[in-house]
Amino acid sequence: MAKLPFVFGPLAGVAPGHEFRNRLELYGAGVHTQTQAGISARQGEGAASIVLSGGYEDDEDFGDVIIYTGRGGRSAESRQQVADQTLTGSNLELARNYTTGLPLRVTRKVEARNGSFYRYDGLYRVAGYWAEPGKSGLRVWRFRLELLPNDGAPSPDAAAAVSAVAEEMAAYGSAPRRASTVLRIVRDTAISRAVKALHDYHCQVCGVQLRGGLPYAEAAHIRPLGAPHHGPDALANVLCLCANHHVLFDLGAFGIAPDFQLLGLPGQLIIKKKHLIGAEFLAYHRAHFYEPQANAGQK
Amino acid sequence: MAKLPFVFGPLAGVAPGHEFRNRLELYGAGVHTQTQAGISARQGEGAASIVLSGGYEDDEDFGDVIIYTGRGGRSAESRQQVADQTLTGSNLELARNYTTGLPLRVTRKVEARNGSFYRYDGLYRVAGYWAEPGKSGLRVWRFRLELLPNDGAPSPDAAAAVSAVAEEMAAYGSAPRRASTVLRIVRDTAISRAVKALHDYHCQVCGVQLRGGLPYAEAAHIRPLGAPHHGPDALANVLCLCANHHVLFDLGAFGIAPDFQLLGLPGQLIIKKKHLIGAEFLAYHRAHFYEPQANAGQK
């Protein structure tokens, strides 16, 4: 079989609901570039696709939310779990989706009267992962997957598609609350990947590299995206920051001078030759976010 | 007029689209507890409601997204801006909604053939704030407001209501991207407010108090909410953390022993007498998040 490119996210021509007769068709369409394995992942990049075929006794499928069980630890003959699963291989790549925000294509095997087929069901995010004893008593790694709004623009089905998000953002004041109190959704873009790679996940303000198995950093836009700022999504307009300095930067607690001296904080921005930062974006941030507060005196 | 309670969020019996003949009716329903001012806020708590009446030349209303101009700096006679606006009073309270995640009720004045009326349009979040020269050349404070999913459960209109969120989460791979790379949505709950107040926004791990004008901290659930963990939203199950230690806690980079010794990090959890932490929740986090990684060796 021809080697297909490894793609994250939506595929042109494959909308959620698209049906495939078998794994080979699924493979050919580029949805899942594995003919047998349930996870399609690339080492060091993340997982692009999973196929739910009911083979793991510990999976739980709620539709919008899937509690997915990691791979490994099963006997090839009996298919029973005989050893602890480890956070390595494709399990580690699934965990990486949590820290990078890369989306995961989900395909379900559907049992019908005249046989089974495969249905592509859209993009999910990895909203968390942990380990626990599986039904066998041995350790399994588990991943909470949440359906993302439909590939592309909101469709007539968007109300259903976003219900996992809507649930999390549902009515303030109602009880009991099931939502987390900080919904931190990380999106992976070419730009965010590039800036994190250039700085090896080290914060350009404090130098820290957050790490919990996998490294974590945030790409912070200097001049914000969207109305009314309309800053570009370009390397020259992003910084690699830890979560704390991202919060503080967005709050205007500090600014950055043209010579990269930090304003409002001691020290100097950590810079790399290959990461050219736009002076006009720093000026925009100073003028709109940092200086008005710095000049405000008592707040 | 009788003093009405000060309420954040949705009001029973007032759905988005509800119309009111005048400000007095709006006041009587508790939607906007000011009869003249455009912002209804309580000092130190945040803003609960705004009325958009077209009085500010710098406002921009895109429907789901509103660029709202702060108050002050205008002459009482000419209604022209004559001085810089400051981040004080109700402007500061609007900024506080950004750090706490408290939602804002938005009501629009609608001009109709037979006169004007007021329409309650639902809950918005304050997604950012900054200052810039207004049309007068003098400084104005501006607030980006984004429509939240409909009060309560997703309705048939949810597709429209969530489009601001959907836009931010739209297709990976499409260009140009308008979305930020980290969507950090903070929700204010009685529990999160309580834990932040008890610790005065200081991180229980490192003691830092993030501050950019306003203090910022995150309420981190120890045993997560939602399926399959089903941890309770209770003070005994939350910690007050900085953004970095929240990320690391969720990644299982550290755990907390029964005696509050940190595991995987040096030191001890900073505790307060009035904040009783459930030993069973710490044990759940250790077993599911910290220990599997700590024991994993090479990852």
Side-chain angles (χ1 to χ4, degrees), chain B residues 155-169:
Chain B
S155 74
D157 290 332
V162 298
S163 66
V165 175
E167 181 196 323
E168 289 213 60
M169 299 182 64

PDB file of all heavy atoms in Angstrom, chain B residues 155-169:
ATOM      1  N   SER B 155     -30.461  25.066  23.637  1.00  0.00           N
ATOM      2  CA  SER B 155     -31.786  25.210  23.066  1.00  0.00           C
ATOM      3  C   SER B 155     -31.666  25.064  21.555  1.00  0.00           C
ATOM      4  O   SER B 155     -30.570  24.892  21.034  1.00  0.00           O
ATOM      5  CB  SER B 155     -32.311  26.606  23.383  1.00  0.00           C
ATOM      6  OG  SER B 155     -31.636  27.544  22.575  1.00  0.00           O
ATOM      7  N   PRO B 156     -32.775  25.123  20.831  1.00  0.00           N
ATOM      8  CA  PRO B 156     -32.668  25.091  19.365  1.00  0.00           C
ATOM      9  C   PRO B 156     -31.808  26.232  18.824  1.00  0.00           C
ATOM     10  O   PRO B 156     -31.270  26.137  17.730  1.00  0.00           O
ATOM     11  CB  PRO B 156     -34.125  25.235  18.915  1.00  0.00           C
ATOM     12  CG  PRO B 156     -34.938  24.733  20.070  1.00  0.00           C
ATOM     13  CD  PRO B 156     -34.164  25.109  21.293  1.00  0.00           C
ATOM     14  N   ASP B 157     -31.701  27.294  19.616  1.00  0.00           N
ATOM     15  CA  ASP B 157     -30.882  28.423  19.177  1.00  0.00           C
ATOM     16  C   ASP B 157     -29.421  28.269  19.581  1.00  0.00           C
ATOM     17  O   ASP B 157     -28.621  29.162  19.364  1.00  0.00           O
ATOM     18  CB  ASP B 157     -31.411  29.727  19.784  1.00  0.00           C
ATOM     19  CG  ASP B 157     -32.743  30.106  19.160  1.00  0.00           C
ATOM     20  OD1 ASP B 157     -32.975  29.733  17.999  1.00  0.00           O
ATOM     21  OD2 ASP B 157     -33.527  30.779  19.843  1.00  0.00           O
ATOM     22  N   ALA B 158     -29.095  27.136  20.170  1.00  0.00           N
ATOM     23  CA  ALA B 158     -27.745  27.001  20.725  1.00  0.00           C
ATOM     24  C   ALA B 158     -26.674  27.122  19.651  1.00  0.00           C
ATOM     25  O   ALA B 158     -25.590  27.645  19.902  1.00  0.00           O
ATOM     26  CB  ALA B 158     -27.605  25.674  21.469  1.00  0.00           C
ATOM     27  N   ALA B 159     -27.014  26.661  18.441  1.00  0.00           N
ATOM     28  CA  ALA B 159     -26.017  26.733  17.377  1.00  0.00           C
ATOM     29  C   ALA B 159     -25.574  28.174  17.177  1.00  0.00           C
ATOM     30  O   ALA B 159     -24.379  28.459  17.044  1.00  0.00           O
ATOM     31  CB  ALA B 159     -26.576  26.161  16.083  1.00  0.00           C
ATOM     32  N   ALA B 160     -26.556  29.086  17.188  1.00  0.00           N
ATOM     33  CA  ALA B 160     -26.206  30.498  17.051  1.00  0.00           C
ATOM     34  C   ALA B 160     -25.539  31.004  18.323  1.00  0.00           C
ATOM     35  O   ALA B 160     -24.530  31.703  18.287  1.00  0.00           O
ATOM     36  CB  ALA B 160     -27.454  31.315  16.744  1.00  0.00           C
ATOM     37  N   ALA B 161     -26.102  30.595  19.450  1.00  0.00           N
ATOM     38  CA  ALA B 161     -25.613  31.136  20.715  1.00  0.00           C
ATOM     39  C   ALA B 161     -24.156  30.791  20.963  1.00  0.00           C
ATOM     40  O   ALA B 161     -23.418  31.566  21.555  1.00  0.00           O
ATOM     41  CB  ALA B 161     -26.477  30.622  21.872  1.00  0.00           C
ATOM     42  N   VAL B 162     -23.738  29.622  20.514  1.00  0.00           N
ATOM     43  CA  VAL B 162     -22.377  29.210  20.811  1.00  0.00           C
ATOM     44  C   VAL B 162     -21.417  29.542  19.679  1.00  0.00           C
ATOM     45  O   VAL B 162     -20.256  29.157  19.713  1.00  0.00           O
ATOM     46  CB  VAL B 162     -22.258  27.705  21.105  1.00  0.00           C
ATOM     47  CG1 VAL B 162     -23.066  27.357  22.329  1.00  0.00           C
ATOM     48  CG2 VAL B 162     -22.673  26.885  19.915  1.00  0.00           C
ATOM     49  N   SER B 163     -21.900  30.297  18.682  1.00  0.00           N
ATOM     50  CA  SER B 163     -21.038  30.467  17.516  1.00  0.00           C
ATOM     51  C   SER B 163     -19.727  31.173  17.862  1.00  0.00           C
ATOM     52  O   SER B 163     -18.707  30.921  17.238  1.00  0.00           O
ATOM     53  CB  SER B 163     -21.776  31.197  16.404  1.00  0.00           C
ATOM     54  OG  SER B 163     -22.056  32.508  16.794  1.00  0.00           O
ATOM     55  N   ALA B 164     -19.767  32.033  18.894  1.00  0.00           N
ATOM     56  CA  ALA B 164     -18.520  32.690  19.268  1.00  0.00           C
ATOM     57  C   ALA B 164     -17.509  31.659  19.756  1.00  0.00           C
ATOM     58  O   ALA B 164     -16.325  31.720  19.434  1.00  0.00           O
ATOM     59  CB  ALA B 164     -18.770  33.741  20.336  1.00  0.00           C
ATOM     60  N   VAL B 165     -18.003  30.693  20.513  1.00  0.00           N
ATOM     61  CA  VAL B 165     -17.125  29.638  21.012  1.00  0.00           C
ATOM     62  C   VAL B 165     -16.727  28.721  19.856  1.00  0.00           C
ATOM     63  O   VAL B 165     -15.567  28.367  19.687  1.00  0.00           O
ATOM     64  CB  VAL B 165     -17.831  28.824  22.124  1.00  0.00           C
ATOM     65  CG1 VAL B 165     -16.973  27.647  22.551  1.00  0.00           C
ATOM     66  CG2 VAL B 165     -18.129  29.725  23.301  1.00  0.00           C
ATOM     67  N   ALA B 166     -17.737  28.375  19.042  1.00  0.00           N
ATOM     68  CA  ALA B 166     -17.473  27.479  17.919  1.00  0.00           C
ATOM     69  C   ALA B 166     -16.412  28.087  17.004  1.00  0.00           C
ATOM     70  O   ALA B 166     -15.528  27.383  16.516  1.00  0.00           O
ATOM     71  CB  ALA B 166     -18.761  27.219  17.151  1.00  0.00           C
ATOM     72  N   GLU B 167     -16.500  29.379  16.823  1.00  0.00           N
ATOM     73  CA  GLU B 167     -15.524  30.057  15.966  1.00  0.00           C
ATOM     74  C   GLU B 167     -14.123  29.847  16.513  1.00  0.00           C
ATOM     75  O   GLU B 167     -13.188  29.533  15.785  1.00  0.00           O
ATOM     76  CB  GLU B 167     -15.847  31.556  15.917  1.00  0.00           C
ATOM     77  CG  GLU B 167     -14.913  32.349  15.034  1.00  0.00           C
ATOM     78  CD  GLU B 167     -15.018  33.851  15.307  1.00  0.00           C
ATOM     79  OE1 GLU B 167     -16.134  34.325  15.560  1.00  0.00           O
ATOM     80  OE2 GLU B 167     -13.984  34.530  15.274  1.00  0.00           O
ATOM     81  N   GLU B 168     -14.040  29.980  17.836  1.00  0.00           N
ATOM     82  CA  GLU B 168     -12.717  29.848  18.450  1.00  0.00           C
ATOM     83  C   GLU B 168     -12.195  28.425  18.358  1.00  0.00           C
ATOM     84  O   GLU B 168     -11.008  28.173  18.406  1.00  0.00           O
ATOM     85  CB  GLU B 168     -12.779  30.253  19.921  1.00  0.00           C
ATOM     86  CG  GLU B 168     -12.964  31.734  20.110  1.00  0.00           C
ATOM     87  CD  GLU B 168     -12.254  32.212  21.360  1.00  0.00           C
ATOM     88  OE1 GLU B 168     -11.024  32.054  21.443  1.00  0.00           O
ATOM     89  OE2 GLU B 168     -12.931  32.740  22.238  1.00  0.00           O
ATOM     90  N   MET B 169     -13.138  27.467  18.260  1.00  0.00           N
ATOM     91  CA  MET B 169     -12.718  26.084  18.259  1.00  0.00           C
ATOM     92  C   MET B 169     -12.809  25.486  16.863  1.00  0.00           C
ATOM     93  O   MET B 169     -12.725  24.279  16.702  1.00  0.00           O
ATOM     94  CB  MET B 169     -13.601  25.283  19.216  1.00  0.00           C
ATOM     95  CG  MET B 169     -13.489  25.792  20.634  1.00  0.00           C
ATOM     96  SD  MET B 169     -14.477  24.803  21.757  1.00  0.00           S
ATOM     97  CE  MET B 169     -13.640  23.228  21.627  1.00  0.00           C
TER      98      MET B 169
END
